[in-house]
Short mmCIF file of all heavy atoms in Angstrom, two decimals:
data_model
loop_
_atom_site.label_atom_id
_atom_site.label_comp_id
_atom_site.label_asym_id
_atom_site.label_seq_id
_atom_site.Cartn_x
_atom_site.Cartn_y
_atom_site.Cartn_z
N ALA Q 1 4.65 -14.08 -14.31
CA ALA Q 1 6.10 -14.27 -14.23
C ALA Q 1 6.45 -15.39 -13.24
O ALA Q 1 7.33 -16.19 -13.51
CB ALA Q 1 6.80 -12.97 -13.89
N ALA Q 2 5.80 -15.36 -12.09
CA ALA Q 2 6.11 -16.32 -11.01
C ALA Q 2 5.79 -17.78 -11.54
O ALA Q 2 6.53 -18.70 -11.23
CB ALA Q 2 5.31 -16.04 -9.78
N ALA Q 3 4.63 -17.90 -12.24
CA ALA Q 3 4.27 -19.24 -12.76
C ALA Q 3 5.30 -19.78 -13.77
O ALA Q 3 5.65 -20.98 -13.76
CB ALA Q 3 2.91 -19.16 -13.38
N LEU Q 4 5.81 -18.88 -14.59
CA LEU Q 4 6.82 -19.28 -15.60
C LEU Q 4 8.13 -19.67 -14.87
O LEU Q 4 8.73 -20.65 -15.34
CB LEU Q 4 7.03 -18.15 -16.60
CG LEU Q 4 5.91 -17.94 -17.57
CD1 LEU Q 4 5.94 -16.53 -18.20
CD2 LEU Q 4 5.90 -19.05 -18.64
N LEU Q 5 8.50 -18.92 -13.91
CA LEU Q 5 9.73 -19.28 -13.15
C LEU Q 5 9.53 -20.61 -12.43
O LEU Q 5 10.46 -21.44 -12.41
CB LEU Q 5 10.02 -18.13 -12.11
CG LEU Q 5 10.47 -16.78 -12.66
CD1 LEU Q 5 10.55 -15.74 -11.61
CD2 LEU Q 5 11.82 -16.93 -13.39
N MET Q 6 8.35 -20.80 -11.85
CA MET Q 6 8.11 -22.10 -11.15
C MET Q 6 8.21 -23.24 -12.12
O MET Q 6 8.82 -24.26 -11.82
CB MET Q 6 6.72 -22.05 -10.52
CG MET Q 6 6.24 -23.35 -9.93
SD MET Q 6 4.52 -23.26 -9.40
CE MET Q 6 4.22 -24.96 -9.00
N HIS Q 7 7.56 -23.09 -13.24
CA HIS Q 7 7.60 -24.11 -14.27
C HIS Q 7 9.02 -24.49 -14.68
O HIS Q 7 9.39 -25.66 -14.76
CB HIS Q 7 6.82 -23.58 -15.57
CG HIS Q 7 6.96 -24.45 -16.76
ND1 HIS Q 7 6.61 -25.79 -16.83
CD2 HIS Q 7 7.44 -24.17 -18.00
CE1 HIS Q 7 6.83 -26.26 -18.01
NE2 HIS Q 7 7.36 -25.27 -18.77
N ARG Q 8 9.85 -23.47 -14.92
CA ARG Q 8 11.23 -23.72 -15.39
C ARG Q 8 12.10 -24.25 -14.25
O ARG Q 8 12.94 -25.12 -14.47
CB ARG Q 8 11.82 -22.39 -15.92
CG ARG Q 8 13.10 -22.53 -16.72
CD ARG Q 8 12.96 -23.47 -17.85
NE ARG Q 8 11.92 -23.09 -18.81
CZ ARG Q 8 12.14 -22.27 -19.83
NH1 ARG Q 8 13.30 -21.72 -20.01
NH2 ARG Q 8 11.11 -21.95 -20.65
N PHE Q 9 11.99 -23.83 -13.01
CA PHE Q 9 12.85 -24.19 -11.97
C PHE Q 9 12.50 -25.50 -11.30
O PHE Q 9 13.32 -26.19 -10.73
CB PHE Q 9 13.05 -23.09 -10.90
CG PHE Q 9 13.95 -21.98 -11.36
CD1 PHE Q 9 13.40 -20.77 -11.80
CD2 PHE Q 9 15.31 -22.14 -11.45
CE1 PHE Q 9 14.20 -19.75 -12.21
CE2 PHE Q 9 16.12 -21.10 -11.93
CZ PHE Q 9 15.58 -19.91 -12.27
N THR Q 10 11.18 -25.84 -11.30
CA THR Q 10 10.78 -27.02 -10.60
C THR Q 10 10.43 -28.18 -11.54
O THR Q 10 10.40 -29.31 -11.14
CB THR Q 10 9.42 -26.80 -9.81
OG1 THR Q 10 8.35 -26.51 -10.71
CG2 THR Q 10 9.62 -25.60 -8.89
N GLY Q 11 10.15 -27.83 -12.84
CA GLY Q 11 9.79 -28.89 -13.79
C GLY Q 11 8.33 -29.26 -13.74
O GLY Q 11 7.92 -30.15 -14.50
N PHE Q 12 7.58 -28.64 -12.86
CA PHE Q 12 6.07 -28.96 -12.89
C PHE Q 12 5.44 -28.45 -14.17
O PHE Q 12 5.84 -27.41 -14.73
CB PHE Q 12 5.39 -28.21 -11.68
CG PHE Q 12 5.62 -28.82 -10.37
CD1 PHE Q 12 6.38 -28.17 -9.36
CD2 PHE Q 12 5.09 -30.09 -10.07
CE1 PHE Q 12 6.56 -28.76 -8.15
CE2 PHE Q 12 5.30 -30.68 -8.83
CZ PHE Q 12 6.07 -30.02 -7.89
N PRO Q 13 4.47 -29.23 -14.72
CA PRO Q 13 3.82 -28.78 -15.88
C PRO Q 13 3.18 -27.38 -15.71
O PRO Q 13 2.68 -27.10 -14.60
CB PRO Q 13 2.71 -29.87 -16.14
CG PRO Q 13 3.16 -31.04 -15.31
CD PRO Q 13 3.94 -30.49 -14.14
N LEU Q 14 3.17 -26.59 -16.76
CA LEU Q 14 2.68 -25.22 -16.68
C LEU Q 14 1.23 -25.13 -16.11
O LEU Q 14 0.94 -24.23 -15.32
CB LEU Q 14 2.79 -24.54 -18.00
CG LEU Q 14 2.73 -23.01 -18.00
CD1 LEU Q 14 3.72 -22.39 -17.05
CD2 LEU Q 14 2.95 -22.52 -19.43
N PRO Q 15 0.31 -26.03 -16.52
CA PRO Q 15 -1.06 -25.89 -15.95
C PRO Q 15 -1.09 -26.04 -14.48
O PRO Q 15 -1.97 -25.44 -13.77
CB PRO Q 15 -1.82 -27.08 -16.64
CG PRO Q 15 -1.09 -27.25 -17.89
CD PRO Q 15 0.35 -27.03 -17.62
N GLN Q 16 -0.10 -26.73 -13.89
CA GLN Q 16 -0.05 -26.88 -12.43
C GLN Q 16 0.50 -25.62 -11.73
O GLN Q 16 0.34 -25.46 -10.56
CB GLN Q 16 0.85 -28.08 -12.09
CG GLN Q 16 0.63 -28.73 -10.75
CD GLN Q 16 1.30 -30.06 -10.64
OE1 GLN Q 16 1.57 -30.75 -11.61
NE2 GLN Q 16 1.61 -30.45 -9.44
N CYS Q 17 1.12 -24.80 -12.55
CA CYS Q 17 1.76 -23.55 -12.02
C CYS Q 17 0.89 -22.31 -12.13
O CYS Q 17 1.15 -21.31 -11.47
CB CYS Q 17 3.09 -23.29 -12.76
SG CYS Q 17 4.25 -24.71 -12.80
N VAL Q 18 -0.14 -22.39 -12.97
CA VAL Q 18 -0.93 -21.18 -13.26
C VAL Q 18 -2.20 -21.13 -12.51
O VAL Q 18 -2.97 -22.13 -12.45
CB VAL Q 18 -1.28 -21.16 -14.82
CG1 VAL Q 18 -2.18 -19.99 -15.18
CG2 VAL Q 18 0.05 -21.11 -15.64
N GLY Q 19 -2.46 -20.02 -11.79
CA GLY Q 19 -3.60 -19.89 -11.04
C GLY Q 19 -4.44 -18.63 -11.39
O GLY Q 19 -4.18 -18.03 -12.42
N ARG Q 20 -5.32 -18.23 -10.49
CA ARG Q 20 -6.29 -17.16 -10.73
C ARG Q 20 -5.65 -15.76 -10.49
O ARG Q 20 -6.26 -14.71 -10.86
CB ARG Q 20 -7.51 -17.30 -9.94
CG ARG Q 20 -8.21 -18.58 -10.29
CD ARG Q 20 -9.57 -18.74 -9.57
NE ARG Q 20 -10.20 -20.00 -9.90
CZ ARG Q 20 -10.86 -20.31 -11.00
NH1 ARG Q 20 -11.03 -19.30 -11.92
NH2 ARG Q 20 -11.37 -21.50 -11.24
N GLY Q 21 -4.48 -15.72 -9.89
CA GLY Q 21 -3.83 -14.42 -9.66
C GLY Q 21 -4.75 -13.48 -8.86
O GLY Q 21 -5.19 -13.78 -7.74
N THR Q 22 -5.06 -12.34 -9.38
CA THR Q 22 -5.89 -11.32 -8.68
C THR Q 22 -7.35 -11.62 -8.81
O THR Q 22 -8.19 -10.83 -8.38
CB THR Q 22 -5.63 -9.92 -9.26
OG1 THR Q 22 -5.68 -10.00 -10.70
CG2 THR Q 22 -4.25 -9.44 -8.83
N GLY Q 23 -7.77 -12.82 -9.34
CA GLY Q 23 -9.12 -13.22 -9.37
C GLY Q 23 -9.76 -13.48 -10.72
O GLY Q 23 -10.95 -13.14 -10.96
N LEU Q 24 -8.98 -14.05 -11.60
CA LEU Q 24 -9.49 -14.39 -12.92
C LEU Q 24 -10.59 -15.43 -12.85
O LEU Q 24 -10.53 -16.36 -12.01
CB LEU Q 24 -8.36 -14.92 -13.85
CG LEU Q 24 -7.28 -13.89 -14.29
CD1 LEU Q 24 -6.14 -14.66 -14.92
CD2 LEU Q 24 -7.84 -12.82 -15.20
N ASP Q 25 -11.57 -15.40 -13.74
CA ASP Q 25 -12.54 -16.43 -13.87
C ASP Q 25 -11.95 -17.59 -14.68
O ASP Q 25 -10.82 -17.52 -15.14
CB ASP Q 25 -13.86 -15.88 -14.51
CG ASP Q 25 -13.74 -15.31 -15.83
OD1 ASP Q 25 -12.62 -15.53 -16.47
OD2 ASP Q 25 -14.60 -14.57 -16.28
#
């Protein structure tokens, strides 16, 4: 949810907003 909000409010591309969260490979 935070990555989607970041993408929409900042205009950064979605790949730049999405991380590993709780530890995804």
Side-chain angles (χ1 to χ4, degrees):
L4 288 161
L5 292 170
M6 175 187 171
H7 169 60
R8 192 58 57 87
F9 283 106
T10 67
F12 284 113
L14 196 55
Q16 204 168 333
C17 306
V18 176
R20 298 187 184 277
T22 49
L24 291 171
D25 59 16

